[in-house]
Amino acid sequence: MDKLLTAIVDDHPIVIEGLKTMLQNEENVQIVGGFGDGESILFYMKSNQVDLILLDVTLPDINGMDLCQMIKKESLSTVILILSNRTERSIIMQTIQNGASGYLLKNSSIDELRNCIAEVAKGNICFSKEVIDIISRPSKNELQGRPRLTRREKQILILIAEGKTSQTIANDLFLSPLTVDTHRKNLIQKFEVKNMAELIKVAYEQFIL
């Protein structure tokens, strides 16, 4: 059986070395390298074949969700298996939507990793047991669905996320500060959150930002 030419993409060298050690004797895997960021794996793929990528979501330059799309654009046949500590259901679902074939948490057993590598190599989607539990339980925000925002509310939300004050936003959009504050209150009500920090967090989780 041909071995899968496998790259590990993680910003922790210890994780890369650990995975290399765990997988060095697997019959179906040949590690071709470890990469600490998204740019380096994309650059490597321009002149080298990679069959399988074990990918972390949290990287210093590109988030793993966006990187999935970039990898697939570079090589549609490359299979992506996410190996991450991130447990948000929205992140898990977004990686799959963007082209990943599976998702495991970093505390998964070697047997789970081995099984998922075999499954994704066959063209199937595979999750570790813990990830299956997470995706079978929608979060409160997802059950409610994404709030419907007006174009102006979306505009103001983006500027709030950039850390701008009501006065600055008012100046930028030629509004009165009072109007901006009213939009802020409406956003807090629509998202059913207590403050701006929570508003921004939920907006990111729902990929509105």
Side-chain angles (χ1 to χ4, degrees):
M1 183 176 82
D2 286 344
K3 292 198 172 202
L4 296 164
L5 299 174
T6 303
I8 302 162
V9 184
D10 196 293
D11 62 339
H12 292 96
I14 286 176
V15 172
I16 291 175
E17 290 311 313
L19 284 167
K20 281 181 181 174
T21 305
M22 277 168 76
L23 297 170
Q24 66 186 359
N25 296 320
E26 295 298 308
E27 288 173 13
N28 60 339
V29 171
Q30 179 185 332
I31 304 290
V32 294
F35 303 85
D37 56 41
E39 287 295 341
S40 54
I41 183 61
L42 290 170
F43 181 75
Y44 179 83
M45 288 177 72
K46 287 187 187 304
S47 48
N48 297 276
Q49 182 188 337
V50 181
D51 302 318
L52 171 68
I53 294 178
L54 302 179
L55 175 64
D56 191 7
V57 170
T58 312
L59 296 169
D61 56 348
I62 307 167
N63 78 60
M65 293 171 289
D66 292 342
L67 189 54
C68 285
Q69 285 184 315
M70 293 176 187
I71 288 167
K72 285 294 188 181
K73 206 169 171 186
E74 191 64 47
S75 167
L76 195 56
S77 63
T78 298
V79 176
I80 304 164
L81 185 55
I82 303 290
L83 205 52
S84 178
N85 285 325
R86 299 297 295 269
T87 58
E88 296 93 326
R89 185 179 187 273
S90 54
I91 288 178
I92 295 166
M93 302 312 287
Q94 190 68 36
T95 58
I96 301 302
Q97 206 175 316
N98 287 7
S101 295
Y103 199 111
L104 297 99
L105 299 185
K106 283 186 178 174
N107 61 2
S108 301
S109 66
I110 180 66
D111 284 338
E112 279 191 302
L113 178 57
R114 194 180 280 136
N115 174 54
C116 270
I117 289 173
E119 284 301 311
V120 298
K122 286 186 224 160
N124 299 327
I125 299 245
C126 187
F127 302 110
S128 62
K129 285 199 291 286
E130 273 189 78
V131 171
I132 291 169
D133 287 344
I134 293 164
I135 58 180
S136 64
R137 287 193 315 266
S139 69
K140 176 170 145 291
N141 290 325
E142 283 162 325
L143 286 171
Q144 287 166 345
R146 287 162 52 145
R148 293 177 71 87
L149 302 184
T150 64
R151 194 174 60 82
R152 179 68 86 195
E153 283 169 343
K154 180 84 188 284
Q155 230 176 357
I156 288 172
L157 179 60
I158 290 164
L159 294 169
I160 290 169
E162 288 171 4
K164 294 193 173 176
T165 63
S166 290
Q167 184 64 60
T168 311
I169 294 170
N171 293 342
D172 287 355
L173 300 179
F174 305 104
L175 301 170
S176 76
L178 187 62
T179 304
V180 175
D181 284 335
T182 304
H183 281 302
R184 280 178 181 262
K185 285 187 191 120
N186 290 345
L187 285 165
I188 279 177
Q189 280 177 344
K190 279 191 177 183
F191 281 89
E192 296 185 24
V193 293
K194 298 184 191 71
N195 53 42
M196 284 296 137
E198 211 177 311
L199 170 68
I200 292 164
K201 177 177 174 285
V202 171
Y204 272 114
E205 281 175 1
Q206 296 189 351
F207 298 97
I208 293 168
L209 282 172

